[in-house]
C-alpha cells in the first residue's frame, strides 16, 4: 500500500508545473501527410504550402542521413513563418537527431573567436550514437515514502523496489524526489533508474497490481515483475554530440564544464584525435554517426569571414545540414562595402537551396490567430476574431498575436471569460504597432530628445 | 539475463607498476596501456589484501572506481543511495578462502541458499522469503582461466551476517605466496610512510 503523504493543493501545483508558452510553442511538426503534401492546417502550421512542401523534402534528406553538408536558405518578409518552419523540421525529426538552433549574432562572443563559435555550433549538430554499459536500478515499486520536514521544508524520501527474488530500500535525494513526483510514479509501477544520469523511465504497470486500479491512462502497458537483481549493468544507447565528446576530453573537469557552459576554445589537436577515434568506433561497429541540423537564424548578422568559413565547412563530409534564415532583402554584406541579396555573398548563396516564404492572406491569418488562441488558452467571440484578423492584415501578424493575451487580461478585468470586440479595441489603442509608431514619430519628431532630423531638414532647406 | 561482464576485469597488456606506503598500507598502482588503472592495498605486516579497485576510462562520461575487494566509500550526495537498512555485500578474503560477507541480514538461518551456477560461472545467494538475492563471479578465478566447482561454496550465518566461502585453487595460492615473498623482501628495507618502492611482477 502506498504511504505517499496526501499532498495539499499547493503542492500539486508544484508537481505539475505550468509551462510558459513560447512564440513557437504551437508548432508540433510540418503538418505533411504521407505523400509529403502539406495539409492546410496541421500540427500548428497554416498555409505557406510551397515552403512546407520543400521543407518536407529536406526532412527526408536529413532522415536518410546519407548526404552531408547541404544548406538551405529560408527567406521571406518578417512574420512569414521562417522560424516556424525550422521549428517544424526540428519537431518532426524528434529527439534522436541533434538539432541546434542559434541566432547569427550569437557568433560574436568575447570569449571565443568567430570560427571557434561556428566550429562548436557545427560539432553540436553532429551526433554519435553509442551503446554503453551503465548501472541501472530496475524493479517494481512496492512503496514510496516522501516526508517534508516541518522546519527546513526539505523533502526526504525512501523508495522500496522489488523483483521476483529480492527487495531493496533506497534513500532519495531532492532531485530524485522531484522526478518521481513529476513522472507520477506510484506503487505497482515497474521502473528503471539510471544511476549515473539519474533518469527515471516507467516501463509499465506490474500485472500483479492490475486489478487494483480502474482508471488507467491510455498508454499504460502491463509488464512482468522484473527478475533477478535490482542493480544491474545494462547496455543503453546514448546519443552524444561531437561537441560534448570534445569538451569531456579537452580537460580533466571537462564533464562539469558542459553544464557551466564555459567551454572556451578547444585545441584542434583534440578535435583531430576525437575524429579519428570516432571513425575507429564506426569501423568497429561500436558507434553510428548521426548528422543533424544546424539552424542559423538572422544569418545576415554574420560577416564575410564567417561566410568564408561556412563555405569551407560545408564541404567536409562530416558537415550537418545547415538551415539559414533571414528577412533581409538586398542589403549590406557585413564586413564589406558591398551589398548582396539577403546580405549573403553569392558564392554562399550558390551552395544553398532557397525556400521562399510569402506573407499570409486574410484566411490564413485568421487560422493562425485561432491556433494561437487555443495555445494561449484564450476564448474569443467570433466578432472579436474578425476584428483581430483585420488588425493582422492592416498591421502585422505578430502584433495581432501579441494582442491575444493582452486582450484576455483586459477581458478578465471586466470579469468575462471571453474576449470581445471592446477588449480588442481597448488593447489596440493601448499598445501601438510599429506602423502607427513610425507615423507618430514623423509627426512629432521635433518634440523628442536629440532631434537631429529637424536640424538636417533646416540645413537642406538652406542649401 | 544481464551478464556482469565488467566483473572479471582483465589485465590489458603489460602494466606499469609502482608501489607506495600510504596510511599504514602498501598501495600498488598498476597503469595499463589503455590508461585504465588498478589499485591494490595490502596490509603491511601480514600482506592481506584489503582492497582492490579498477578504473576504466570512458570517452563519453566520467570514469568511476569499481571496487572488486573492499567497500567503496558511500557518496553522501548521491540522489539515489541504498538505505542503511539494506544488507551490505563485501568481499574480504582469508589466506585460504575467497570470502564474501553480507551484513545486516536479519532473517532466520534456514532462509539462505547458496549455489553455483556453472553456466554463468557465478555464485548465487538466494533467500526463500525472496528478500535478498545476489549473483557474483570471482574475478581472480576467471582471470586464471579456472572454473567454479559445484559444491565447493560453503556458507555460515551468525551475528546477522552471512559468510560465503570458496577455497582458493592451488594455482592462486601459489601466486599469492610469491607476492608475499616479494613484499617480505621489500619490508626488509624497513619502509616508512610515503616511501616509493619498485616492484617486479
Amino acid at each position: 500500500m502506498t504511504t505517499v503523504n496526501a499532498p495539499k493543493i499547493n503542492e500539486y501545483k508544484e508537481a505539475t508545473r505550468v509551462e510558459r508558452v513560447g512564440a513557437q510553442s504551437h508548432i508540433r511538426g510540418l503538418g505533411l501527410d504521407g505523400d509529403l503534401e502539406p495539409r492546410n492546417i496541421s500540427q500548428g502550421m497554416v498555409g505557406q504550402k510551397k515552403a512546407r512542401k520543400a521543407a518536407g523534402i529536406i526532412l527526408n534528406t536529413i532522415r536518410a542521413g546519407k548526404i552531408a553538408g547541404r544548406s538551405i536558405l529560408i527567406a521571406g518578409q518578417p512574420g512569414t513563418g521562417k522560424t516556424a518552419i525550422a521549428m517544424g523540421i526540428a519537431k518532426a525529426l524528434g529527439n534522436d537527431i541533434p538539432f541546434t538552433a542559434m541566432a547569427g549574432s550569437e557568433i560574436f562572443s568575447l570569449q571565443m573567436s568567430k570560427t571557434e563559435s561556428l566550429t562548436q555550433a557545427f560539432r553540436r549538430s553532429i551526433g554519435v550514437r553509442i551503446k554503453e554499459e551503465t548501472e541501472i536500478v530496475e524493479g517494481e515499486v512496492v512503496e514510496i515514502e516522501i516526508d517534508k520536514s516541518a522546519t527546513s521544508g526539505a523533502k526526504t524520501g525512501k523508495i522500496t523496489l522489488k523483483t521476483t527474488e529480492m527487495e531493496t530500500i533506497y534513500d532519495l535525494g531532492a532531485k530524485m524526489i522531484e522526478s518521481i513526483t513529476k513522472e507520477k510514479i506510484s506503487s505497482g509501477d515497474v521502473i528503471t533508474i539510471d544511476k549515473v544520469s539519474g533518469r527515471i523511465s516507467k516501463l509499465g504497470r506490474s500485472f500483479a497490481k492490475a486489478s487494483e486500479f480502474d482508471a488507467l491512462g491510455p498508454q499504460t502497458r502491463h509488464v512482468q515483475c522484473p527478475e533477478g537483481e535490482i542493480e544491474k549493468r545494462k547496455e543503453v544507447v546514448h546519443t552524444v554530440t561531437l561537441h560534448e565528446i570534445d569538451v569531456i576530453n579537452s580537460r580533466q573537469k571537462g564533464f562539469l564544464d558542459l553544464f557551466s557552459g564555459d567551454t572556451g576554445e578547444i585545441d584542434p589537436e583534440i578535435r583531430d584525435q576525437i575524429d579519428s577515434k570516432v571513425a575507429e568506433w564506426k569501423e568497429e561497429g561500436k558507434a553510428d554517426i548521426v548528422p543533424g541540423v544546424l539552424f542559423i537564424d538572422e544569418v545576415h548578422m554574420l560577416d564575410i569571414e564567417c561566410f568564408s568559413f561556412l563555405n569551407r565547412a560545408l564541404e567536409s563530409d562530416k558537415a550537418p545540414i545547415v538551415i539559414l534564415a533571414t528577412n533581409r532583402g538586398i542589403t549590406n554584406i557585413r564586413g564589406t562595402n558591398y551589398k548582396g541579396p539577403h546580405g549573403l555573398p553569392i558564392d554562399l548563396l550558390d551552395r544553398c537551396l532557397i525556400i521562399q516564404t510569402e506573407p499570409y492572406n486574410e484566411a490564413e491569418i485568421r487560422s493562425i490567430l485561432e491556433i494561437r488562441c487555443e495555445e494561449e488558452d484564450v476564448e474569443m467571440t467570433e466578432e472579436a476574431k474578425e476584428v483581430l484578423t483585420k488588425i493582422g492584415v492592416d498591421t502585422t501578424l505578430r502584433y495581432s498575436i501579441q494582442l491575444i493575451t493582452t486582450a484576455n487580461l483586459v477581458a478578465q478585468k471586466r470579469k468575462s471569460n471571453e474576449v470581445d470586440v471592446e477588449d480588442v479595441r481597448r488593447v489596440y489603442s493601448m499598445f501601438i504597432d510599429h506602423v502607427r509608431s513610425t507615423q507618430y514619430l514623423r509627426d512629432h519628431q521635433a518634440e523628442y530628445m536629440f532631434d537631429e532630423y529637424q536640424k538636417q531638414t533646416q540645413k537642406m532647406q538652406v542649401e | 539475463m544481464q551478464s556482469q561482464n565488467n566483473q572479471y576485469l582483465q589485465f590489458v597488456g603489460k602494466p606499469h607498476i609502482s608501489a607506495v606506503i600510504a596510511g599504514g598500507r602498501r598501495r600498488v598502482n598498476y597503469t595499463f596501456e589503455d590508461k585504465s588503472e588498478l589499485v591494490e592495498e595490502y596490509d603491511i605486516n601480514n600482506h592481506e589484501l584489503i582492497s582492490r579497485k579498477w578504473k576504466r576510462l570512458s570517452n563519453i562520461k566520467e570514469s568511476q572506481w569499481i571496487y572488486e575487494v573492499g567497500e567503496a566509500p558511500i557518496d553522501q550526495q548521491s540522489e539515489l543511495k541504498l538505505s542503511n537498512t539494506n544488507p551490505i555485500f563485501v568481499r574480504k578474503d582469508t589466506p585460504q578462502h575467497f570470502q564474501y560477507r553480507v551484513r545486516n541480514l536479519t532473517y532466520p538461518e534456514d532462509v539462505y541458499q547458496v549455489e553455483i551456477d556453472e553456466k554463468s560461472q557465478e555464485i548465487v545467494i538466494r533467500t526463500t522469503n525472496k528478500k535478498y538475492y545476489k549473483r557474483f563471479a570471482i574475478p581472480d578465478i576467471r582471470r586464471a582461466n579456472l572454473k567454479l566447482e559445484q559444491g565447493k561454496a560453503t556458507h555460515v550465518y551468525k551475528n546477522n551476517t552471512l559468510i560465503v566461502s570458496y577455497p582458493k585453487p592451488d594455482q592462486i595460492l601459489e601466486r599469492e605466496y610469491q607476492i608475499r615473498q616479494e613484499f617480505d623482501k621489500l619490508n626488509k628495507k624497513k619502509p616508512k610512510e610515503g616511501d616509493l618502492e619498485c616492484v617486479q611482477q
Side-chain angles (χ1 to χ4, degrees):
Chain A
M1 224 179 58
T2 344
T3 48
V4 176
N5 291 336
K8 294 175 286 211
I9 303 296
N10 14 342
E11 277 187 39
Y12 265 123
K13 275 212 192 120
E14 246 177 76
T16 41
R17 256 173 284 229
V18 172
E19 310 242 328
R20 289 171 79 199
V21 176
Q24 311 282 355
S25 54
H26 61 286
I27 308 283
R28 314 230 182 282
L30 283 176
L32 307 171
D33 66 16
D35 292 328
L36 285 190
E37 286 300 318
R39 301 193 185 93
N40 195 28
I41 303 177
S42 168
Q43 287 191 312
M45 285 275 190
V46 173
Q48 215 55 260
K49 293 219 178 109
K50 256 194 342 191
R52 281 161 62 200
K53 195 163 172 192
I57 298 178
I58 302 296
L59 190 63
N60 281 6
T61 318
I62 301 174
R63 281 201 184 121
K66 298 218 176 99
I67 305 187
R70 283 281 192 271
S71 72
I72 288 96
L73 172 64
I74 309 178
Q77 288 100 318
T80 49
K82 299 182 292 299
T83 316
I85 290 189
M87 272 298 122
I89 296 182
K91 290 274 161 85
L93 283 175
N95 283 332
D96 263 354
I97 302 192
F99 185 95
T100 313
M102 57 183 288
S105 27
E106 281 176 40
I107 303 272
F108 304 99
S109 150
L110 282 176
Q111 281 151 339
M112 282 193 275
S113 73
K114 287 177 290 199
T115 39
E116 176 69 20
S117 296
L118 277 173
T119 312
Q120 282 192 14
F122 267 72
R123 285 175 86 81
R124 263 187 238 261
S125 318
I126 302 178
V128 182
R129 204 178 290 141
I130 314 183
K131 271 198 284 214
E132 264 221 315
E133 258 200 5
T134 45
E135 275 182 40
I136 62 161
V137 166
E138 183 177 73
E140 179 186 323
V141 178
V142 176
E143 184 177 338
I144 305 179
E145 201 185 295
I146 302 184
D147 297 311
K148 198 166 178 179
S149 143
T151 45
S152 64
K155 289 202 181 145
T156 56
K158 287 192 202 296
I159 187 171
T160 312
L161 291 172
K162 76 168 196 195
T163 65
T164 51
E165 305 280 352
M166 66 183 287
E167 272 185 28
T168 311
I169 306 180
Y170 287 92
D171 289 333
L172 301 167
K175 286 208 198 91
M176 198 59 71
I177 295 180
E178 236 183 79
S179 310
I180 289 184
T181 332
K182 199 166 126 192
E183 305 268 343
K184 302 204 178 77
I185 311 270
S186 60
S187 157
D189 287 333
V190 176
I191 64 174
T192 301
I193 305 180
D194 183 323
K195 270 187 116 177
V196 176
S197 69
R199 216 155 24 135
I200 307 184
S201 330
K202 216 195 270 200
L203 300 174
R205 277 197 80 74
S206 165
F207 279 115
K209 296 280 178 138
S211 54
E212 289 188 21
F213 278 79
D214 293 323
L216 294 174
Q219 301 189 337
T220 316
R221 280 199 314 260
H222 284 296
V223 292
Q224 296 274 15
C225 181
E227 295 186 341
E229 288 183 78
I230 289 183
E231 299 208 357
K232 300 197 249 259
R233 300 189 80 88
K234 229 180 185 168
E235 276 209 332
V236 168
V237 177
H238 259 333
T239 308
V240 275
T241 64
L242 278 183
H243 175 65
E244 286 171 359
I245 306 183
D246 289 346
V247 170
I248 290 180
N249 283 294
S250 68
R251 351 168 176 188
Q252 284 223 326
K253 286 215 174 160
F255 191 63
L256 292 171
D257 278 338
L258 259 184
F259 296 109
S260 66
D262 176 21
T263 43
E265 303 240 355
I266 297 181
D267 197 348
E269 251 182 57
I270 296 200
R271 291 215 165 103
D272 286 335
Q273 276 178 13
I274 305 281
D275 284 346
S276 47
K277 217 180 284 188
V278 173
E280 242 181 69
W281 289 342
K282 192 165 153 205
E283 295 226 347
E284 296 173 7
K286 274 205 270 186
D288 269 326
I289 298 192
V290 182
V293 178
L294 173 59
F295 173 57
I296 308 183
D297 209 347
E298 319 282 342
V299 67
H300 50 267
M301 292 303 290
L302 299 183
D303 63 14
I304 189 71
E305 289 166 15
C306 300
F307 294 135
S308 309
F309 179 88
L310 272 179
N311 284 340
R312 185 70 185 83
L314 281 172
E315 284 167 11
S316 138
D317 63 352
K318 267 201 298 297
I321 305 243
V322 178
I323 302 183
L324 311 171
T326 177
N327 56 22
R328 298 292 199 261
I330 298 188
T331 188
N332 189 37
I333 302 175
R334 284 189 86 190
T336 68
N337 288 328
Y338 297 99
K339 289 195 200 260
H342 310 294
L344 304 181
I346 301 197
D347 57 354
L348 178 57
L349 278 175
D350 210 13
R351 290 178 166 79
C352 296
L353 290 171
I354 306 182
I355 301 180
Q356 290 275 13
T357 56
E358 288 154 355
Y360 294 102
N361 64 32
E362 184 169 339
E364 288 166 345
I365 294 185
R366 167 83 186 233
S367 310
I368 296 178
L369 286 173
E370 284 181 357
I371 294 177
R372 284 306 297 178
C373 280
E374 220 184 284
E375 182 73 13
E376 295 177 20
D377 227 0
V378 171
E379 302 261 351
M380 217 183 261
T381 63
E382 284 304 309
E383 297 85 19
K385 284 186 190 164
E386 282 288 329
V387 177
L388 204 53
T389 312
K390 266 245 110 101
I391 294 179
V393 172
D394 291 338
T395 59
T396 64
L397 176 60
R398 281 211 178 91
Y399 174 70
S400 50
I401 291 181
Q402 284 173 348
L403 289 186
I404 296 178
T405 304
T406 37
N408 190 31
L409 288 168
V410 169
Q412 282 179 2
K413 261 179 93 175
R414 63 176 177 85
K415 308 262 192 314
S416 161
N417 274 337
E418 245 191 345
V419 171
D420 206 351
V421 184
E422 55 179 293
D423 305 312
V424 177
R425 288 238 168 82
R426 198 96 200 273
V427 285
Y428 179 77
S429 58
M430 278 199 284
F431 298 103
I432 311 185
D433 64 287
H434 70 84
V435 174
R436 280 179 286 162
S437 186
T438 321
Q439 188 57 45
Y440 184 81
L441 282 177
R442 285 213 181 95
D443 297 335
H444 298 108
Q445 184 58 38
E447 296 154 35
Y448 277 78
M449 269 178 78
F450 302 130
D451 174 41
E452 294 304 307
Y453 180 61
Q454 184 77 346
K455 303 207 178 83
Q456 271 183 12
T457 44
Q458 284 181 345
K459 245 195 180 168
M460 287 191 328
Q461 281 165 1
V462 167
E463 280 160 21
Chain B
M1 187 184 74
Q2 320 298 337
S3 65
Q4 310 243 325
N5 273 322
N6 264 334
Q7 282 239 313
Y8 63 107
L9 300 164
Q10 292 275 26
F11 278 50
V12 180
K14 216 161 183 357
H16 167 76
I17 310 177
S18 66
V20 69
I21 312 291
R25 302 171 181 178
R26 176 169 279 118
R27 189 192 301 166
V28 186
N29 265 308
Y30 301 73
T31 322
F32 299 93
E33 284 162 24
D34 64 350
K35 292 214 227 135
S36 54
E37 287 176 55
L38 163 65
V39 170
E40 291 178 331
E41 283 188 339
Y42 293 89
D43 181 293
I44 204 169
N45 293 315
N46 60 19
H47 308 309
E48 230 178 69
L49 179 64
I50 299 179
S51 83
R52 177 186 285 158
K53 59 188 184 188
W54 295 78
K55 191 187 228 182
R56 272 278 145 79
L57 291 181
S58 160
N59 276 318
I60 328 294
K61 52 177 197 219
E62 292 226 349
S63 325
Q64 286 176 326
W65 287 106
I66 301 177
Y67 276 76
E68 195 182 292
V69 179
E71 261 179 84
I74 303 177
D75 181 7
Q76 289 299 340
Q77 304 290 20
S78 169
E79 287 291 317
L80 188 74
K81 57 182 198 291
L82 286 169
S83 166
N84 44 19
T85 52
N86 287 321
I88 303 172
F89 177 85
V90 162
R91 169 173 160 183
K92 177 77 166 38
D93 299 339
T94 64
Q96 298 293 330
H97 288 84
F98 296 113
Q99 223 176 58
Y100 296 83
R101 289 155 190 263
V102 190
R103 300 201 303 262
N104 229 352
L105 279 173
T106 49
Y107 314 111
E109 186 167 354
D110 47 4
V111 140
Y112 307 103
Q113 295 172 331
V114 175
E115 17 177 86
I116 293 188
D117 183 338
E118 300 207 29
K119 210 164 73 170
S120 64
Q121 282 293 297
E122 288 171 328
I123 300 182
V124 184
I125 303 176
R126 260 189 244 274
T127 49
T128 52
N129 61 357
K130 305 293 182 195
K131 290 290 186 182
Y132 185 75
Y133 180 84
K134 182 90 184 164
R135 281 181 160 263
F136 56 96
I138 303 184
D140 306 60
I141 292 195
R142 287 244 178 125
R143 284 194 285 261
N145 282 329
L146 297 168
K147 289 218 176 289
L148 290 172
E149 287 169 48
Q150 190 67 260
K152 280 210 171 160
T154 56
H155 68 280
V156 155
Y157 176 73
K158 57 182 182 195
N159 297 341
N160 282 351
T161 305
L162 180 70
I163 304 177
V164 178
S165 311
Y166 189 92
K168 294 181 181 170
D170 290 333
Q171 196 176 327
I172 294 185
L173 283 171
E174 241 195 70
R175 195 171 157 274
E176 292 192 351
Y177 179 68
Q178 283 175 348
I179 295 181
R180 279 204 298 275
Q181 301 278 60
E182 181 74 29
F183 287 161
D184 277 334
K185 265 195 274 178
L186 290 171
N187 270 351
K188 287 218 169 61
K189 301 185 192 157
K190 297 223 188 344
K192 297 183 304 287
E193 185 81 13
D195 277 356
L196 271 164
E197 309 174 318
C198 30
V199 176
Q200 283 91 18
Q201 247 315 322

